[in-house]
């Protein structure tokens, strides 16, 4: 779908942004420098590695292309060394009700980038529409799930409204554009932008996804 | 081992039943509709995806065959929309001491189906007896482990007695029947029934697996 | 890199030692005999299975070679049946401040063995230096992560200082020796010894890895 260079660039930028979010969680947990690095690697690489395993792309790109690990190392250095690292990264944590920081914007951008890259690689692998959308969503939220499971938190995707739905929307745009025969690069850019705008708007407006009707007897 | 159509049918039915269990956990955790869907997917597809990765079957059947994801979507819809969804699904949770509901029976059936399918695919892949039994057990309990880790619960398989042992028994029956040269379809049916009956009997009688002798100083 | 027989021997010994650590965690959690077995399997096989999936070695060696599962079964039997099993295994838990037991020494040896085996297999698969070191570290700490996530504990690697750093050092020695054209067997032995000595010294001296500078507003 997208050209190789563009996919790699989007992927590497997204990796750095998500790695920062891993460092932020590690700071909140008061982990040491190595704990910061582990959660940077988990958040930055988790989604892409799972995606590559599912598509049979082994060894995963995260292991064969040095850019990915380097981005995680860089993010860990920023979080550990920069005096303002904790402060900036900390703002990423609590989505609702606060001013959106540059990191929150970047996180929403990363979500869009990973959703588009994942869906695009799914189509390249010959998957059907639903599966390609699932690959996009998984790539986008997989790193955050890995990060949160390691840190002993309920994964954000389970209770942070509209987060994964925004990723699904961007991935669906890529798959829909492919089915309609549209040129892949503008469709990819539009899909990423759709995800990012949806996520930012949801944060700004405190949108919530619907609740189940059923009440559960305890 | 088993014919493709039979394996797929057993697999799809088992997926739906396990997906319902994911929805039940999500309701207990008071997650929103998307959280219900995520846990339905994790519980319904987790075991089969891990099994396919281990056997080198990529992309996993869950991604290439639309029936699996559709069953999870359907289960999520049932749990979110049906007024009685929460009530029925909730009964799945607390095995011991309560009347067995239709869902509990289906869950035990699903356990048997997945154990037989996993062991059968393991034999097809040329694995030895022990490894094929392990594949059956992993397929049967893997989805529940994924569901519980995401939901932040200690996986049920670690403390719910006889659950995994029942899956191992059914998988062992398949492997034993294969070694004895018996026809695969009746052996598969017998293996699934063995697992299901063991699990239901264990629930009814509150069987417990043995405790370690050693006491641990705290 | 290393010859196949040597790699397998190191791998099997390491599997047994790590499986014992899984049994120790299960005892602390007061799980039944099956829970002990599950955590023995997770701790003993988790790192190697993830490593094999990432390198495209499917089905993983843990499934095709009966020695690995047998070591986990044996470790579970030791923990469940031996009157002193809980006592000895329990000493593995709380690294700092206590006399090092034979199990703690074996655990540090296992860490070195797995780091060297993982890095060696990574080089065999054609990975670059950084990725091969990452494979060594992942093999060494992966089983412990799997064990702790299943048991609902924060993975030890996130807060147990120098543990993973010691694994990285041993893996880096293997990769460096390979780049320098040194003979693989003595380099492997030296790498494993480096990891083991670092880990034991860190336990004895209560070394700590550096803390991030940034404080986080809560």
């Amino acid at each position: 779908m997208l050209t190789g260079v563009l996919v790699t660039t989007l992927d590497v930028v997204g990796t750095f942004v998500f790695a920062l979010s891993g460092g932020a969680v590690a700071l909140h947990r008061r982990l040491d420098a190595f704990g910061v690095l582990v959660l940077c690697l988990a958040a930055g690489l988790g989604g892409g590695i799972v995606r590559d395993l599912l598509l049979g792309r082994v060894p995963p790109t995260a292991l064969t292309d040095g850019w990915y690990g380097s981005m995680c190392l860089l993010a860990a250095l920023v979080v550990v060394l920069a005096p303002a690292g904790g402060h900036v990264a900390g703002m990423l944590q609590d989505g609702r009700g606060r001013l959106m920081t540059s990191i929150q914007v970047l996180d929403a951008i990363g979500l869009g980038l990973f959703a588009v890259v994942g869906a695009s690689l799914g189509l390249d692998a010959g998957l059907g529409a639903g599966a390609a959308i699932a690959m996009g969503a998984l790539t986008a939220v997989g790193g955050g799930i890995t990060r949160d499971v390691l840190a002993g938190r309920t994964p954000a995707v389970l209770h942070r409204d509209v987060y994964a739905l925004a990723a699904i929307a961007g991935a669906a745009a890529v798959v829909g554009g492919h089915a309609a025969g549209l040129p892949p690069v503008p469709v990819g850019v539009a899909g990423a932008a759709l995800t990012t705008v949806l996520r930012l708007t949801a944060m700004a407006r405190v949108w919530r996804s619907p609740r189940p009707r059923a009440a559960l007897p305890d």
Side-chain angles (χ1 to χ4, degrees), chain A:
Chain A
M1 276 287 299
L2 300 176
T3 63
V5 172
L6 183 59
V7 164
T8 301
T9 306
L10 300 181
D11 222 17
V12 166
V13 173
T15 296
F16 179 71
V17 173
F18 278 124
L20 281 178
S21 80
V25 170
L27 288 181
H28 269 283
R29 286 261 158 181
R30 308 200 176 286
L31 300 176
D32 61 23
F34 189 80
V36 168
L37 176 58
V38 170
L39 289 190
C40 284
L41 289 164
L45 306 181
I49 286 178
V50 170
R51 175 200 68 206
D52 285 351
L53 288 179
L54 293 175
L55 295 177
R57 295 158 47 97
V58 287
T61 316
L63 283 173
T64 56
D65 182 335
W67 274 101
Y68 295 92
S70 304
M71 286 297 108
C72 297
L73 280 172
L74 182 62
L77 276 176
V78 167
V79 168
V80 171
L81 293 182
H87 201 74
V88 171
M91 292 183 194
L92 180 59
Q93 290 303 304
D94 38 11
R96 293 203 277 263
R98 299 203 182 179
L99 286 178
M100 283 181 287
T101 67
S102 58
I103 290 275
Q104 282 179 315
V105 174
L106 283 173
D107 179 68
I109 295 173
L111 195 73
L113 301 177
F114 273 26
V116 165
V117 170
S120 190
L121 291 174
L123 290 173
D124 286 347
L127 293 180
I133 294 172
M135 290 305 304
L138 190 61
T139 305
V141 306
I145 289 178
T146 311
R147 173 197 70 204
D148 290 340
V149 166
L150 288 182
R153 311 182 341 146
T154 304
V157 67
L158 289 180
H159 55 74
R160 202 184 278 175
D161 302 310
V162 188
Y163 194 83
L165 290 177
I168 289 174
V174 169
V175 171
H178 177 73
L182 300 176
V185 173
V187 164
V189 171
L194 174 63
T195 293
T196 301
V197 169
L198 272 176
R199 172 72 187 131
L200 291 176
T201 310
M203 277 197 292
R205 304 249 176 131
V206 197
W207 281 350
R208 311 203 62 166
S209 46
R211 301 269 144 190
R213 283 196 208 163
L216 249 201
D218 277 331

